[in-house]
Amino acid sequence: MLNEETRINPMENKLWENQTVFTEFILLGFGDIPTLRGLLFLVVLMIYIATMAGNILIVALVVVSQELHTPMYYFLGNLSCLETCCSSTILPRMLTSFVRGDRSISLTGCFLQMYFFGSLAGAECFLLTAMSYDQYLAICKPLHYATIMKNVDCLHLVVGSWIIGFLGNAVLFPLLQVTFCGHNEISHFYFTIFYGTLMIVYVMPNNHTLGDWKKVLGAFYTFLTPMVNPFIYSLRNKDVKQALRKIQEKMIVVKF
């Protein structure tokens, strides 16, 4: 028996019957180049290993070395921690797609990946702002720096960055209740965080020819930036090199 709503508006129900409700998305990425799948897997794997090794090294040096227990390196250590977590939300899934050839992802998996990546990226933006403030104080108010930027203040800035990043992306939770239908293919991932990539992607014309270039620009932030940040911010620094040298000397003494 038809209910009252069906009797009143049969056309609307007919339209809903013709819709296909999706339970997963297809992450296109660079999967439309199957001949390069093996090469892309090796390249991304090497980038992921370099990213993890470089950032974990920075975190370990900041924790172990007394010389690096300063606000600047405290911020850099947290930045490396964020980069490690940020890369780990994207690259393992990408590597799995290259190996298995399966580019599908469930709605829940896609939401969680988007939430954690967005939260970590947001926290990184706030942390970079705190680092800029720290450098401003060190340069413009050197005599008052030690009294203004205390350890507890650094802790508040770092914890605040993490909390704001994760709470700010909590607005995504209502998406779990949304029913998706129609087009379920996602061309590329995360062309939308840092300003240079964002402006370039949106200024470029929206056509198929430039679609792959937009994917490449999105990839710059996803895994290239976390890989080079340790070398830009820390590993070229004299204090970090000295701390690393001391640890190496201690390891040699212990070994022999």
Side-chain angles (χ1 to χ4, degrees):
M1 180 179 296
L2 295 177
N3 55 31
E4 189 67 25
E5 182 180 355
T6 306
R7 293 174 181 172
I8 294 176
N9 196 353
M11 181 61 67
E12 182 177 350
N13 284 278
K14 186 65 177 179
L15 290 175
W16 276 105
E17 290 176 3
N18 293 333
Q19 296 290 334
T20 301
V21 178
F22 292 104
T23 59
E24 62 182 17
F25 288 114
I26 306 298
L27 301 176
L28 297 181
F30 300 99
D32 53 351
I33 317 176
T35 56
L36 296 179
R37 186 189 302 171
L39 178 61
L40 290 174
F41 172 81
L42 292 176
V43 171
V44 174
L45 179 62
M46 295 299 294
I47 291 175
Y48 185 51
I49 293 174
T51 300
M52 298 298 289
N55 285 289
I56 291 175
L57 176 61
I58 297 302
V59 174
L61 285 175
V62 171
V63 172
V64 173
S65 302
Q66 292 292 332
E67 299 88 347
L68 302 183
H69 288 180
T70 62
M72 181 179 72
Y73 292 107
Y74 181 69
F75 289 129
L76 287 175
N78 276 274
L79 179 63
S80 293
C81 183
L82 279 170
E83 298 284 21
T84 301
C85 298
C86 199
S87 297
S88 297
T89 62
I90 298 294
L91 297 190
R93 179 64 182 81
M94 186 188 300
L95 292 171
T96 302
S97 296
F98 286 140
V99 173
R100 298 173 54 188
D102 180 16
R103 294 178 287 165
S104 63
I105 184 172
S106 65
L107 296 182
T108 303
C110 185
F111 165 80
L112 291 176
Q113 188 183 63
M114 179 171 62
Y115 172 73
F116 281 107
F117 186 88
S119 299
L120 292 166
E124 185 175 332
C125 290
F126 286 106
L127 183 63
L128 290 172
T129 303
M131 293 171 63
S132 301
Y133 175 67
D134 173 70
Q135 291 301 299
Y136 161 77
L137 293 177
I139 296 172
C140 298
K141 299 185 178 182
L143 299 179
H144 302 282
Y145 178 76
T147 57
I148 297 176
M149 189 59 69
K150 300 178 182 178
N151 292 337
V152 65
D153 297 318
C154 296
L155 178 63
H156 289 162
L157 288 172
V158 169
V159 173
S161 298
W162 284 78
I163 291 177
I164 294 174
F166 277 83
L167 287 182
N169 279 272
V171 297
L172 297 176
F173 278 102
L175 291 179
L176 289 174
Q177 307 300 323
V178 175
T179 300
F180 295 92
C181 58
H183 185 65
N184 71 327
E185 293 181 343
I186 300 177
S187 180
H188 48 99
F189 44 84
Y190 298 109
F191 48 93
T192 59
I193 299 298
F194 275 179
Y195 311 116
T197 303
L198 175 66
M199 289 187 292
I200 293 174
V201 167
Y202 278 100
V203 167
M204 293 174 64
N206 187 21
N207 56 52
H208 179 72
T209 305
L210 297 176
D212 289 337
W213 283 106
K214 291 185 178 182
K215 296 179 186 180
V216 173
L217 291 171
F220 275 130
Y221 176 76
T222 306
F223 51 82
L224 291 182
T225 301
M227 182 184 69
V228 300
N229 272 350
F231 300 95
I232 295 175
Y233 289 116
S234 303
L235 293 179
R236 296 176 57 190
N237 189 287
K238 180 178 66 176
D239 295 332
V240 174
K241 290 181 180 179
Q242 185 176 356
L244 184 60
R245 191 178 301 112
K246 287 184 178 180
I247 292 178
Q248 290 175 339
E249 292 174 354
K250 291 180 181 178
M251 293 177 62
I252 293 174
V253 171
V254 172
K255 182 177 181 180
F256 289 99

